[in-house]
Every structure is written in C-alpha cells, then in structure tokens.
Amino acid sequence: MRLRTFAAAALVLASFLRAAPLAAQASGTPDFKALLAAVDGRTNFRASDFSARLTLVSEDPSKGTETRSVRVFRRDRADTLLLLVLKPESELGQGYLRVDDSLWFYDPESRKFTHSSVKENFQGTDAKNSDFGLSSLAEDYAVAAHGEGRLGAHETWILDLKARHDETAYASRKVWITKKDGLLLKSEDYSLSGRLLRTAYYTSYARVGSSLICDRFTYVDALVAGKKTSVLMEEISLRPVPDEVFTKAYVERVNR
Amino acid sequence: MNQSMRIAFRNVGRQKKRTVLLAGAVGLGFFIITLSGSLLGGIAASARKNFSAAFGGHLYFSGSVVSDRGSEIAVMADPGPLESVLAAHARDIASIHRRSGTSGTLIFGTRELRQTLTGVDFGREPDFAGGLRIVSGSLDGLSEPGALVLPEDAAERLGVRTGEAVLFRASTVHGQRNVTELVLIATYEGQSSFGVSAGYAGLGTVNSLLGLGPEEFQTLNVWLRDDRAIDAAAGRILADLAGKVPVEPREDEDPMKRMAERLLGGSGPRSVGDGEGWEGTRYGLTTLNDLMAQFTSILSIADALSFWVFLILLSITMVGILNSYRMVMVERTAEIGTLRALGLQKGGVRDIFLWEALFVSLYGALAGLAAALAVMALSRAAVLPGGTVLSFFLDSGRLPFSVDPIETVRNLVLLCAASLAAVSFPARAAARLPPAAALRAAY
Amino acid sequence: MAILQLSDVHKTYPLGKTEVHAVRGVSLEIQKGDFVSIAGPSGSGKSTILNLIGCIDRPSGGSVRLGGVDTAKLSDRELTRLRHRVLGFIFQSFNLIPVLDVYENVEFPLLLGREVPKPAERRERVGRLIREVGLETWTRHKANELSGGQRQRVAIARALVTRPEVVLADEPTANLDSATGESILALMQAMNREFGTTFVFSTHDARIVDLADHVVRLKDGRIAEEFRRGGAA
Ligand SMILES: Nc1ncnc2c1ncn2[C@@H]1O[C@H](COP(=O)(O)OP(=O)(O)O)[C@@H](O)[C@H]1O
Ligand SMILES: [Mg+2]
C-alpha cells in the first residue's frame, strides 16, 4: 500500500513538471487566458519525449523525513508514462507504467503487474484524476481578479482563479506568474469551502533546449503544519525515448 | 409399551460403566457440534447485528447521475421512483434513512487519520443517538452544524478530546478537494479500522463537505424487519425497480469495492464510459450480505469444519457402539435364547439392541446438550475486552451463542441414525442366533 | 389324544469334521395331562429331545408333531408363535430376565403374543400364579435377590401364565439342593393336577423320576425303557 501511495505521489509530481514557462507578453494587462494557456502549453511536451531523474524529500511531522529517487519517462502526445523507483533500496525496481489508458503497477518481488484503471483513484492518497491528466489551467479556471506584486526578485501577476466547473481538483487557486517570462512561481490551492489546502513554490527553472523547465519545487501542506514535499529534477532531457521503454517487457528487464 | 423397548430401556442401566463411556463419547461429539454450531451461529447473528448498526441498515440504495462532463456523481438526485417502490414493500421494511457519506482524512494538529464519515439526518432519526454507546462527551449538541461523533479508538489515535476542533479533508461528489472544521462532541464504543465504524455528523454538514445541497442525500438505507431475509427482500425490490428506472448491475462487481466507492466515496467521481451513460438517477443496491459475503464464507467453512469434526467423532463413536454391542451379544446369548424360547420373535431381539443404542445416544446427546448449554451460560459471565475488531463478532463483549433448534434436531437425528446403523450389525447377528444354541450358552 | 408325537426322530450335530449323533431314532407319544420324566445319564440326549419337542431346534430326521401340527413345515416365525401359544419353559438355570422383577418376569410372556390380555386379566392371572408358587411378598424383587428355589418358582409361574398345553422343564432341579428340588417338583405336580397341564421334565436324579407317571429312559440317544405308572392315562 505504501509503495503504491508513493508511486501515485510521484505521478502527481511528474505531471506537475508540466508547469513550465514560455515567453511573456508585452507590457500592460495581458490576455490572462493566453498566459494560462502558455503555462499549460509548456508543461505538456507534445513535440518531444521527456525524461528526468526526480529526488523527492517528504517531511512529515509524524512520519519523519523520507527521501526517494525516481526515473521518469514521458511521451505526452501518446499519453504514456513510465516511473521507475531507484531509491530507497527496498523499493528499487518498482514501476508504474501508463499505456493505452491503463495503469500498471509492477512489483519486482512478485514479478507481477497489477492493473488499475486510470479513472480510479489511489487509495490512501490525495491524488486526483485531474492530477494525472494534462495541465489545463486555461480550460478549467477563469481569472476572477488580478493584481500585481513582487515575489522575491520577480515582478508577477497575481491571479485569482475560479473553477469553471465543479470537477477541478481545486475550487479556486491563486497563482503568481512572472511578468517577464510567464513563469509560474507560486500557487495557492483552495478547497471548496475556501480554505487554503496547500501552497506550491516553483523555485528554480532550468533551460532545456529552447524552453525553461521548473527543476525544483516544493508543496507545503497548509492543513498539517510542517508537512511538505520538495522535488529536485535532474538529468532532464527532451531527446526521444526509445519506444521499447514504454513496454512491460522493459519494466521487467530493467529490474533484473 | 413395546416389550423390546422396555427391556432395552432397563438394559441401559445394566452395565453402567459401558453406558457412561458410550454416552460420554456421543455426548462429547454432540457437545462440540452444539457449542461450535451455536457459537458460529451466534457470531453470524452478532456480526449481522453489529455490522448493520455500523453501516446503518441492511440494504443500501445509492443513486448516481451523469454530469455534463461525463462523470458519475454519487447523489440520489431523484429518490421518487425508489421511494414509491419501497413504499410498496412496506411490510418487509422497518425503517428507511437518508444518508450521505464519504471517506477522508481527519487532521488534528500534525496527526492524520483515514476515517469514514456518515451524514445522518438527526431530525428524521431521533432514535439514532440511542444506538450508540457513548464513551465520552454527550450527544446533546448532535444537531449543531459541525458536530462530530467519532469511534473512541479514532479519537484516541488522533489525540483529540471532546470539545476540540478537527479538520476533515475529503473530496466532493464531483471530485473537488474540500475541507471542513468539525467539533468533536462525543466518542462512542466502535472500531474505526477497516472503515467499519463511521464518524457521524449532521447530514447538512456532510452534504456541504460533499458539495451537495442541505436537503440532498446519497443513499437510502433500509432496515428490514427480518435480517435473515435480506437477499429475498433485495431481490423483490430490485425486480420492481428494474425496467422502471436505470439500475446498476449487481453481479459483476466486488461489493466491498463498490461499497467503498459509492457509499464511502472520498475519492471523487469515476468517468462514465462511452455508451455506458444513463438518463436521470441510476440506482445501485448493496446489501449487508454483500458486504459480509467474505466473512460469511469464512464462517461457513468453519461450520463445515466443525461438522466434519462431529462426523469424525461420530464415526469413532460408532465403532465403539458396534464393538460394545458385539460384546453385549456374547454376554447375553443365553438371555437371548430364553427370550426366543418364551416367544419373542427375531425382530424383537433386534429391536432390543436398536432401542438400547438409541437410548444411550439420546442420553449422551442430552448430556452433551446440557453441558453445552451450561458452558454457554457460564461464558455469559465473562466479558471480553472491547475496543478490538473482535467486538463486532461478540454480543456486548460476550461470546454470542445462538442455539439453532433445526440444526440441533438435525444433528440429533444424524447421531441417532448413525447409532442405529452401527448397532444394526450386532442387532441382526443377535436376532439370528439359533435359540437352542443360544440357550446352551452359560447363563 | 396324544398332544406330542415323535416318530423316528434323529438329531446329529456337526463336531469338527465328524458328527455327533445325539438322538438316534426316538419315537414317543405323550398324552395330554401327562407328567412325564425323561431320564438318563448326562449326554444321553435329554436336552436335545426337549429342544426338539420345544420347537427351539429342528430334527435331522423323523418328525415332531405338537398338538397335531408337523413342526417340520413351520417357519421360524411360526415356530416362535407355536412355542408362545402351546408351550411353557422351565430351565435348569432358571433363566429369569434379570432386568425384570418377579411380577414382570411372570407377566412377560403374556405381553408377547398377538393378543395381549387386558391389564385387569393380566393382573389377575399373574397375581394368582405368584400366590400359587408362594412368592406374593417378593413380587417387586429382581431375580438376583431371590434364592435358587424362589427363582425356579418364578420360572414355573412364568411357564404357566400363558396357560400352555405343555410345560417343558430341562433338569429343573439340577441347580437346587435336594429338598428344594423336591418341593419344586411337588409344585409342578400340583400344577399338573390343578390345571391339567402336561409336564415333560428331564432329570438324571432317580428319586425325582419316581414322581413321574410316564417315564422315558434314554441311553445314548435311544429309548432304553419306557413305562407308565399306576393306571395313568
Ligand atoms: N450343539 C451341539 N454340538 C455338538 N454336540 C452336541 C451339541 N448339543 C449336544 N451335543 C452332544 O449331544 C449329546 C447329547 O447331549 P444332550 O442332549 O445335551 O444330553 P443331556 O442333556 O442328556 O446331557 C452329547 O454327547 C452332547 O455332547
Ligand atoms: Mg442336558
């Protein structure tokens, strides 16, 4: 159960990688919908494959600190994904493979794949369906209000987002986007009851090829004091991933 | 009175040691099967009672609609057709309750705990409070918005005391994340692991967490008058529903999972596949028996096992009876010759043996039954510690025993039949003794 | 009229690979009301003859006619019924039913037939016989509480209760001291006179033989001597 929980969390994170910047608009009040669409567009790598190594550090006041390492392969245009656990040693070789709308969990101990539908939710996690889909800020949220402000050294637009429909993960969000590059720097995610659930900080962007990709971000749980997860992304690559990576055979073989 | 029966009846007391041994063996078997059968029956009945209390009824009708975006939303949007069908089955039904519920995470300080939460319409269910065994706090403020009642062990694990506020995080029926603040007003004797014992809050409170209107609800929970007739009642009601309204197919799914998804929710909606959709409210039915199916099958295995033990003990006893009455035949050869000379037919001699074994078996069974009843009565004095999953299978902390008269009679008949079968061999041999030769035997 | 007729009766028992010829061609007639003694040393075939007469054994050859009926043609069930209707038995070892008391032992044969007498009649008959044999203070005692002589008295009452035509007694005094034996035989004789019941008893005691009015002396399975005494029928 714990393993699957972790893998599910990693999936969430993998999709949040998709939050990455593109060129900013000119001065004055920009077209916010276009700004959000740009944020969406840069997180979804439709033109190329994507791979990286993630290091996740989860701090939980009751469980202590846990560090994990995962390798991620993505091919967004086909909606396929592979996660391979590298650390801790005890979970080495576990894999999560998503192909053809199916999600397979591989356990090297039993050498078996267990099937679960993408539509399902992961027991024991807060992972939502929407977390697994492609980022769709522009489609799901309307800008209810906007303001400006500094966040650290950056001039940002501060947007209050309201859900356009009731099946988004959050009823409302508040996002900080740099004026200069259109980079998402921070997001506050609110419950239907209007309570802050978590704050996400996108603290570092790396240039990969021609685009900027967030390679360091932190989720801070707003309900449980001291609970947060930091993610560091290294070895980012947009080079083509061999087709065979997204197969069960590969998952089995790579673990041997 | 039949002469064979009379002599057999007197013969039982003739070799007291042998009678005690045989009847003792028979009694032991009957003791074991009666005790284990009654315990298993009692456990089944207690579990049915305790689980139906925990789940709030015997039949759980859920409703779901398809949203604009093609998701299945768990809400009984239009209870009308279901309610009118239920009204037609009023004779089977003790009461009907509207419930909403979800599973989510309780947060108190830095502690988190998975917990199911059930929304109860306390205004319509004035009896609800009486069904809970309160450990701390009181149910006086039950109808206040945000009032929460938790199983004692859940409160303990969270470290929350009555009067303190906790957060409950869950998803709305649409899948949106939500959180609400609740105030613990009381804890009750329950078992929260496996999601069996729910936390309780007002229907309105739970609805607002789920993103539902104050008067909406997700399930209609039905208490039947007879908790043994769950399947029959479910079948009749479903038959009436089918054809009129969309009904979820019952067979193919794992009921535990469906229960978790539909009733406990907590994880957002599922997308409805292409061509799978329906108009209006689709009804689903989960029954207590569905939820207990696994447990019931374990029980029936145990039942079968104890029956096999009984059969094995029985066959050992039968060998004992067979051999004992072979000896009896030898000991009483001259007496058999005398009876035959006096005019008793072969069948009369045979009957003496049959009756004698029957009496011994009946004495044994009676003693075994009495011993089993005595043990049951004694065990009432022992109250097992509560607060474990075990308490779901107990009757207020006591071992539940429920003697099934039909089963007892069945076992008795089986026992007597086996004894008669065993003794029939020496009985026939005794009947066939030639009278002259029998009389020559030393008296 | 002869109540009993044996003509050229033989009885052989298998004994290992050979046979024992226990009765070798006995022909005998016993009249109604006779008080018959079958005398002879041990092993001379007395018990065998009595068993054949009593329909609890079948002859190997010859015929046994009881009350005009040829017993050879009867089934076990019919023989049993015949025994019950026509015969009474007294045994050397008394053979009371140990789980029944005196009254019940005497009453027992009455309860076996197809037509069981009414309780009042049973009480009358059983009570009268128990008085006749002098055991009215012992009715509720079990056999093991009685002396040998008392037990044999119970057996006599039991043998007579169905009002049989013939009572067979195989060495009725052999397990009794001589005084008691004599009193038992006296009782049998009294019954013979009172009810006209035919008695056939075996013995190897010469003094007892003297009480019989029809004596059949056996030797090696054959009749060595047969005579009637003092103008008896
Ligand atoms: N069942 C039997 N099997 C073999 N031999 C027997 C059996 N019954 C009697 N005999 C033999 O037949 C003979 C006559 O026996 P029995 O009629 O008992 O004599 P009695 O009563 O005069 O002593 C004896 O030699 C006896 O050993
Ligand atoms: Mg003899």
Side-chain angles (χ1 to χ4, degrees):
Chain A
M1 194 50 139
R2 213 165 60 95
L3 314 175
R4 304 187 108 208
T5 304
F6 163 63
L11 267 182
V12 178
L13 295 169
S15 25
F16 264 94
L17 291 176
R18 293 160 173 165
L22 194 86
Q25 291 290 316
S27 56
T29 305
D31 176 351
F32 291 123
K33 183 159 186 182
L35 187 62
L36 292 177
V39 170
D40 288 338
R42 268 173 293 117
T43 60
N44 305 329
F45 302 98
R46 293 198 176 278
S48 66
D49 289 344
F50 172 93
S51 64
R53 187 163 61 82
L54 301 186
T55 305
L56 299 90
V57 180
S58 320
E59 292 173 39
D60 188 308
S62 46
K63 289 180 199 143
T65 302
E66 291 177 354
T67 304
R68 289 155 204 282
S69 183
V70 185
R71 181 158 289 284
V72 187
F73 301 93
R74 276 169 55 187
R75 181 172 290 166
D76 290 352
R77 63 181 180 279
D79 208 11
T80 54
L81 173 109
L82 172 65
L83 287 175
L84 289 173
V85 178
L86 306 173
K87 271 180 196 156
E89 202 69 21
S90 60
E91 295 168 18
L92 176 69
Q94 290 177 5
Y96 246 96
L97 175 68
R98 188 168 84 188
V99 278
D100 305 330
D101 246 20
S102 294
L103 197 56
W104 300 94
F105 172 71
Y106 180 74
D107 179 5
E109 211 122 286
S110 65
R111 299 202 179 172
K112 272 192 184 125
F113 283 92
T114 22
H115 180 267
S116 54
S117 163
V118 201
K119 288 166 188 154
E120 267 178 26
N121 298 90
F122 294 94
Q123 273 293 83
T125 75
D126 294 331
K128 305 308 301 171
N129 298 346
S130 53
D131 287 335
F132 301 99
L134 298 172
S135 173
S136 51
L137 280 176
E139 189 194 317
D140 289 343
Y141 294 92
V143 178
H146 68 271
E148 306 171 44
R150 287 189 73 84
L151 187 63
H154 302 275
E155 288 291 339
T156 59
W157 294 112
I158 304 172
L159 308 181
D160 285 333
L161 305 183
K162 282 271 164 303
R164 288 181 192 273
H165 58 87
D166 51 17
E167 292 178 27
T168 59
Y170 301 100
S172 59
R173 302 173 83 164
K174 187 176 211 166
V175 293
W176 282 255
I177 299 173
T178 61
K179 287 185 174 178
K180 184 163 158 266
D181 303 310
L183 301 178
L184 179 64
L185 288 190
K186 179 182 175 185
S187 169
E188 288 179 351
D189 303 330
Y190 291 87
S191 75
L192 178 64
S193 55
R195 193 162 181 133
L196 178 62
L197 292 170
R198 72 174 186 189
T199 307
Y201 298 96
Y202 304 90
T203 49
S204 163
Y205 280 82
R207 183 164 295 278
V208 179
S210 60
S211 53
L212 285 165
I213 295 174
C214 179
D215 64 350
R216 194 184 282 274
F217 47 95
T218 302
Y219 297 124
V220 177
D221 193 313
L223 300 179
V224 182
K227 188 177 174 186
K228 63 178 180 182
T229 303
S230 304
V231 182
L232 173 65
M233 201 154 62
E234 294 161 296
E235 298 163 33
I236 301 169
S237 160
L238 297 182
R239 281 191 296 276
V241 173
D243 290 349
E244 60 140 13
V245 167
F246 301 106
T247 59
K248 286 188 186 176
Y250 178 78
V251 180
E252 287 173 326
R253 181 151 42 86
V254 80
N255 288 314
R256 234 173 262 151
Chain B
M1 192 175 48
N2 179 303
Q3 293 313 298
S4 295
M5 187 174 152
R6 176 166 74 151
I7 291 187
F9 183 76
R10 304 254 178 113
N11 279 347
V12 168
R14 220 160 134 180
Q15 278 270 356
K16 295 215 168 56
K17 205 166 138 194
R18 179 162 57 208
T19 299
V20 166
L21 271 172
L22 283 180
V26 167
L28 181 69
F30 206 70
F31 170 78
I32 288 173
I33 188 69
T34 305
L35 204 63
S36 69
S38 303
L39 183 61
L40 292 171
I43 284 175
S46 283
R48 236 188 344 256
K49 190 168 137 266
N50 292 330
F51 278 105
S52 60
F55 294 132
H58 299 127
L59 304 179
Y60 323 101
F61 289 95
S62 57
S64 56
V65 296
V66 182
S67 74
D68 300 341
R69 300 176 62 84
S71 298
E72 178 175 1
I73 307 300
V75 59
M76 187 85 75
D78 176 18
L82 174 58
E83 281 174 337
S84 65
V85 166
L86 290 179
H89 291 270
R91 260 188 305 141
D92 295 335
I93 293 171
S95 63
I96 302 174
H97 305 290
R98 299 177 164 195
R99 296 276 168 94
S100 289
T102 187
S103 130
T105 305
L106 279 168
I107 301 168
F108 183 64
T110 61
R111 295 199 198 176
E112 294 176 86
L113 183 72
R114 295 289 297 179
Q115 175 65 47
T116 58
L117 180 67
T118 300
V120 179
D121 189 345
F122 296 116
R124 284 205 178 92
E125 281 188 55
D127 298 340
F128 179 83
L132 296 182
R133 292 149 69 87
I134 296 305
V135 177
S136 66
S138 91
L139 297 178
D140 292 343
L142 199 57
S143 41
E144 298 291 319
L148 173 69
V149 179
L150 283 179
E152 170 63 16
D153 66 331
E156 213 163 89
R157 262 184 276 172
L158 272 180
V160 62
R161 275 178 303 215
T162 54
E164 292 180 316
V166 295
L167 293 176
F168 190 79
R169 186 181 64 208
S171 292
T172 66
V173 290
H174 295 99
Q176 216 157 49
R177 298 186 181 192
N178 207 357
V179 65
T180 189
E181 192 173 278
L182 303 169
V183 175
L184 183 67
I185 60 162
T187 62
Y188 73 95
E189 210 173 86
Q191 183 59 37
S192 71
S193 31
F194 309 115
V196 178
S197 289
Y200 295 102
L203 184 65
T205 302
V206 174
N207 279 348
S208 78
L209 181 69
L210 291 174
L212 298 175
E215 289 298 310
E216 288 189 294
F217 59 95
Q218 291 182 299
T219 63
L220 271 182
N221 288 11
V222 173
W223 285 92
L224 297 174
R225 290 185 200 282
D226 180 5
D227 71 358
R228 288 156 182 273
I230 290 175
D231 288 332
R236 284 196 295 270
I237 295 171
L238 271 184
D240 279 9
L241 273 176
K244 288 186 199 143
V245 289
V247 175
E248 199 179 321
R250 256 171 69 75
E251 314 77 41
D252 43 353
E253 263 186 275
D254 173 11
M256 246 333 182
K257 200 168 115 195
R258 185 174 52 199
M259 173 80 171
E261 281 176 12
R262 302 297 138 76
L263 298 177
L264 306 178
S267 44
R270 151 191 104 90
S271 317
V272 177
D274 296 336
E276 201 202 314
W278 59 90
E279 287 293 311
T281 303
R282 182 169 84 160
Y283 300 108
L285 172 59
T286 306
T287 69
L288 183 66
N289 286 354
D290 294 341
L291 301 180
M292 289 179 56
Q294 233 174 339
F295 165 71
T296 311
S297 69
I298 290 171
L299 266 195
S300 56
I301 288 169
D303 212 13
L305 223 69
S306 68
F307 190 64
W308 274 106
V309 170
F310 174 58
L311 288 187
I312 289 165
L313 283 177
L314 208 60
S315 30
I316 294 170
T317 311
M318 292 317 118
V319 172
I321 286 184
L322 186 86
N323 286 330
S324 297
Y325 282 92
R326 271 200 188 129
M327 237 147 74
V328 165
M329 182 187 85
V330 173
E331 282 166 16
R332 298 188 195 155
T333 299
E335 189 176 326
I336 291 164
T338 307
L339 290 167
R340 294 284 282 125
L342 294 182
L344 191 69
Q345 295 284 2
K346 281 180 174 179
V349 173
R350 182 200 59 213
D351 291 351
I352 290 177
F353 278 69
L354 295 181
W355 280 114
E356 208 171 318
L358 193 64
F359 285 133
V360 168
S361 300
L362 285 174
Y363 282 142
L366 220 67
L369 184 65
L373 290 174
V375 167
M376 292 177 204
L378 283 176
S379 88
R380 297 297 299 174
V383 178
L384 295 154
T388 64
V389 194
L390 201 66
S391 49
F392 268 95
F393 308 107
L394 301 179
D395 174 14
S396 315
R398 296 177 172 89
L399 283 179
F401 289 103
S402 142
V403 182
D404 182 345
I406 294 175
E407 226 169 75
T408 308
V409 169
R410 179 202 71 186
N411 292 338
L412 188 66
V413 167
L414 205 72
L415 180 81
C416 292
S419 301
L420 290 177
V423 83
S424 71
F425 297 97
R428 263 184 299 166
R432 280 203 222 104
L433 283 174
L439 271 171
R440 209 181 303 272
Y443 210 77
Chain C
M1 192 201 87
I3 181 89
L4 261 169
Q5 262 179 320
L6 275 64
S7 31
D8 196 23
V9 167
H10 290 259
K11 180 69 184 177
T12 55
Y13 295 108
L15 187 77
K17 284 175 192 149
T18 59
E19 292 187 326
V20 178
H21 214 141
V23 176
R24 312 163 182 243
V26 168
S27 295
L28 179 66
E29 273 197 6
I30 290 170
Q31 303 301 316
K32 213 168 156 28
D34 271 4
F35 197 65
V36 188
S37 170
I38 307 225
S42 184
S44 57
K46 304 186 292 294
S47 295
T48 305
I49 292 270
L50 277 176
N51 285 349
L52 293 171
I53 296 171
C55 303
I56 53 181
D57 213 347
R58 290 172 188 275
S60 314
S63 77
V64 177
R65 295 177 75 87
L66 180 58
V69 182
D70 186 352
T71 59
K73 297 192 173 76
L74 301 181
S75 68
D76 179 85
R77 171 168 292 272
E78 287 163 328
L79 280 179
T80 304
R81 239 180 253 144
L82 185 68
R83 279 201 298 276
H84 179 256
R85 188 163 46 81
V86 178
L87 300 174
F89 289 90
I90 297 168
F91 304 95
Q92 176 179 342
S93 307
F94 326 126
N95 294 21
L96 299 185
I97 308 301
V99 294
L100 301 181
D101 64 24
V102 167
Y103 184 94
E104 289 165 340
N105 260 291
V106 175
E107 186 194 34
F108 184 72
L110 282 183
L111 302 169
L112 289 182
R114 281 199 283 194
E115 286 143 39
V116 177
K118 298 250 156 44
E121 195 197 333
R122 290 207 304 269
R123 260 197 307 282
E124 207 275 319
R125 273 162 76 169
V126 174
R128 178 154 167 236
L129 276 167
I130 289 177
R131 275 195 304 282
E132 297 267 6
V133 301
L135 288 175
E136 53 268 49
T137 57
W138 296 88
T139 48
R140 289 306 162 196
H141 289 258
K142 293 267 164 65
N144 59 6
E145 297 163 322
L146 305 180
S147 69
Q150 286 172 318
R151 290 183 204 188
Q152 203 58 304
R153 285 165 187 271
V154 176
I156 291 168
R158 179 177 70 182
L160 290 166
V161 76
T162 53
R163 294 180 180 154
E165 298 185 56
V166 182
V167 171
L168 303 172
D170 192 4
E171 307 212 29
T173 61
N175 284 5
L176 301 172
D177 60 73
S178 57
T180 314
E182 270 165 39
S183 79
I184 286 296
L185 219 66
L187 181 63
M188 283 166 55
Q189 205 163 26
M191 296 298 171
N192 169 256
R193 304 248 159 83
E194 188 174 342
F195 302 115
T197 311
T198 311
F199 274 79
V200 183
F201 62 93
S202 68
T203 184
H204 57 263
D205 184 338
R207 285 180 303 161
I208 285 174
V209 175
D210 291 345
L211 294 169
D213 47 31
H214 179 176
V215 177
V216 180
R217 216 176 277 285
L218 289 179
K219 195 165 183 248
D220 298 333
R222 290 198 181 86
I223 297 178
E225 185 190 10
E226 181 181 6
F227 61 87
R228 289 158 196 274
R229 223 180 245 125

